[in-house]
Amino acid sequence: MSLAADKRAATTRDGDAPTSWDLDAIREDFPILQQQVHGVPLAYLDNAATSQKPTAVIDAVADFYRHDNANVHRAVHALAERATLGYEAARERVGHWINAAAASEVVFLRGTTEAINLLANGLGAGWRSGDRVVLTTMEHHANIVPWHLLRERAGIEIAVLPVTEAGELDLDALPGLLDGRTRLLALTHVSNVLGTINPVAEAVRIAHAHGVPVLVDGAQALAHQRVDVQALDCDFYAFSGHKMFGPTGIGVLYGKAERLAALPPWQGGGEMIRRVTFEKIRFADPPQRFEAGTQNFAGAIGLAAAIDYLAGLDADAMAGHEQALLRYATERLEAIPGLRIIGRAAHKAPLLSFLVDGVHAHDMGTLLDRKGVAVRTGHHCAMPLMDFYGVPATTRASLAFYNSLDEIDRLADAIDYARGVLA
Ligand code: PLP
């Protein structure tokens, strides 16, 4: 498709299903996008760091605090009943959205980081020196550091599945890493640096054929695609509400029922027990076993509202729009002299990491900001991947379904401006 045709397909509003996408109407759902920064309209291209929230989510959280706020699973008064019902309905909503076999397979936590720490502690409690976890070169530190800590505590080994220069997993190397001591494969669904959408179902198939369970870091996936945990057949799946248009401070660890049942708790406190004496404790069943203390129930209700919002969008049109953004952005950036895109996988989420000759990424970020273009610069909490590419930092434009082709034009123009100032 030509650039112009791409631009039309992504912006058409004449109801030409399935590529119609009423971008103006969608942008109106996100109040923060209406503002100006430095005297120009905001172009928010930092969605992989955190996404913006539609009015429906903001209202759901505010309404909860206005009308229903009470601690959950504790008292029997009316507000407590309503809050508990809302919280458990949110669990049902999440379970249904990711196609969990039961809502009890959904554990509410702070986010992806906490979910992976829970697993490194809970699974790791049974691991011995020489047991192995397999990661990949493209993991976020959230899926590296907890395993480092476990290595220090228990003497486990960390093995690494390599990536190709294009930024794809080398799955052929996977069987060689899955020996009798391998206890887990933990890999990202979508790379926060490269945009690569990994063939997770295939990785799970290979790992399971070797008797190895799989944890998927889904932090970057749910903003762009529906995830079906049963179709993936993964054992665990972790994600964060704030990256999928929901509130901060709420996230999910999905686990197959039998996997969660076998997992010890990692934090102790109220509401995760059946019976406590000073001599003995009997823990509650999952998911409560992993939800010690007062939970972010308002966040869970906001996350359910984000899912309702996503469910109301045309998934095919959204995917079409995002891929049109990606193609257009790739073409525009490739045309800029001295610009190199890192991450050329065949299947990508709409995210571009790049370097520009003679311009440090941090300077680039500052100059783009002057033009109202918000991007992220740095190592993106993925230092091993930066080492692989031999670069200290990149500039990353990460797009969401509410971004426009005009914002891509503004990004490209702002990069030209930065080159003019610095190169
Ligand atoms: N995994 C990936 C791939 C990420 O991109 C991030 C955040 O950027 C995380 C994990 C950590 O997510 P959170 O900070 O919400 O726990």
Side-chain angles (χ1 to χ4, degrees):
M1 207 188 268
S2 71
L3 283 189
D6 252 6
K7 214 162 171 167
R8 270 199 310 280
T11 54
T12 181
R13 288 207 277 144
D14 56 12
D16 285 354
T19 51
S20 68
W21 187 246
D22 192 345
L23 190 57
D24 290 347
I26 283 167
R27 287 180 69 86
E28 275 172 24
D29 291 339
F30 291 81
I32 206 168
L33 299 180
Q34 317 308 324
Q35 72 181 280
Q36 303 227 329
V37 288
H38 309 310
V40 288
L42 168 68
Y44 185 77
L45 309 182
D46 192 18
N47 294 284
T50 199
S51 59
Q52 299 302 350
K53 321 303 170 198
T55 303
V57 169
I58 299 167
D59 285 353
V61 175
D63 284 351
F64 175 79
Y65 282 126
R66 268 199 197 98
H67 303 294
D68 300 328
N69 181 48
N71 212 330
V72 299
H73 291 306
R74 284 159 170 84
V76 293
H77 57 78
L79 292 192
E81 289 268 297
R82 290 211 297 266
T84 302
L85 283 176
Y87 183 59
E88 290 307 324
R91 197 190 304 280
E92 290 275 349
R93 189 72 183 98
V94 171
H96 189 255
W97 186 243
I98 62 171
N99 196 28
S104 55
E105 294 181 327
V106 171
V107 180
F108 282 127
L109 298 163
R110 264 194 310 130
T112 311
T113 302
E114 189 170 39
I116 298 174
N117 275 277
L118 183 155
L119 286 178
N121 279 271
L123 292 172
W127 295 2
R128 299 288 162 262
S129 173
D131 284 349
R132 170 185 285 186
V133 61
V134 177
L135 309 177
T136 84
T137 309
M138 66 169 85
E139 296 313 307
H140 186 280
H141 294 168
N143 194 27
I144 300 175
V145 180
W147 306 110
H148 260 284
L149 297 175
L150 182 60
R151 177 163 66 186
E152 278 161 29
R153 277 200 311 278
I156 67 155
E157 274 178 22
I158 297 175
V160 182
L161 181 66
V163 300
T164 64
E165 190 62 31
E168 293 175 329
L169 289 182
D170 179 5
L171 273 195
D172 291 343
L174 183 55
L177 299 173
L178 304 171
D179 67 9
R181 299 298 300 272
T182 306
R183 307 296 297 264
L184 186 74
L185 166 65
L187 81 168
T188 194
H189 197 164
V190 175
S191 162
N192 66 310
V193 179
L194 308 169
T196 310
I197 302 171
N198 285 319
V200 167
E202 177 63 2
V204 171
R205 200 189 54 72
I206 297 169
H208 283 180
H210 289 77
V212 174
V214 180
L215 156 65
V216 181
D217 170 353
Q220 295 295 342
L222 278 100
H224 304 293
Q225 66 184 80
R226 287 293 298 265
V227 167
D228 180 333
V229 288
Q230 292 194 72
L232 293 177
D233 197 26
C234 55
D235 300 271
F236 301 102
Y237 195 99
F239 57 98
S240 301
H242 72 100
K243 293 190 195 282
M244 53 180 291
F245 318 103
T248 45
I250 186 72
V252 168
L253 173 66
Y254 155 82
K256 284 182 179 170
E258 65 275 17
R259 294 280 177 201
L260 290 182
L263 210 57
W266 85 297
Q267 288 185 337
E271 294 303 317
M272 48 76 76
I273 48 79
R274 258 184 219 289
R275 176 100 181 100
V276 178
T277 66
F278 282 112
E279 288 72 38
K280 206 165 167 327
I281 299 176
R282 276 175 54 224
F283 297 114
D285 289 334
Q288 278 74 29
R289 186 189 301 165
F290 308 108
E291 297 182 0
T294 296
Q295 296 300 297
N296 183 1
F297 36 80
I301 284 159
L303 176 57
I307 289 174
D308 286 343
Y309 180 83
L310 286 170
L313 301 176
D314 175 337
D316 289 338
M318 174 174 138
H321 176 70
E322 288 196 0
Q323 285 303 311
L325 288 177
L326 177 62
R327 281 195 300 274
Y328 186 63
T330 305
E331 285 182 40
R332 285 286 332 241
L333 265 55
E334 271 174 340
I336 295 174
L339 186 147
R340 174 158 74 103
I341 294 172
I342 305 269
R344 313 299 306 227
H347 299 288
K348 274 186 70 167
L351 183 156
L352 292 108
S353 274
F354 57 91
L355 304 156
V356 178
D357 285 349
V359 183
H360 193 281
H362 291 294
D363 297 331
M364 176 66 78
T366 305
L367 289 168
L368 296 190
D369 175 61
R370 275 194 206 163
K371 297 291 180 184
V373 178
V375 294
R376 165 102 186 258
T377 57
H379 53 69
H380 313 294
C381 300
M383 282 183 174
L385 187 63
M386 295 288 127
D387 290 345
F388 171 74
Y389 284 107
V391 299
T394 72
T395 304
R396 179 186 71 187
S398 55
L399 311 172
F401 59 72
Y402 43 60
N403 288 124
S404 69
L405 294 166
D406 289 338
E407 288 176 318
I408 306 295
D409 287 336
R410 288 186 50 208
L411 168 67
D413 292 347
I415 295 170
D416 271 337
Y417 158 77
R419 285 177 60 242
V421 173
L422 292 169

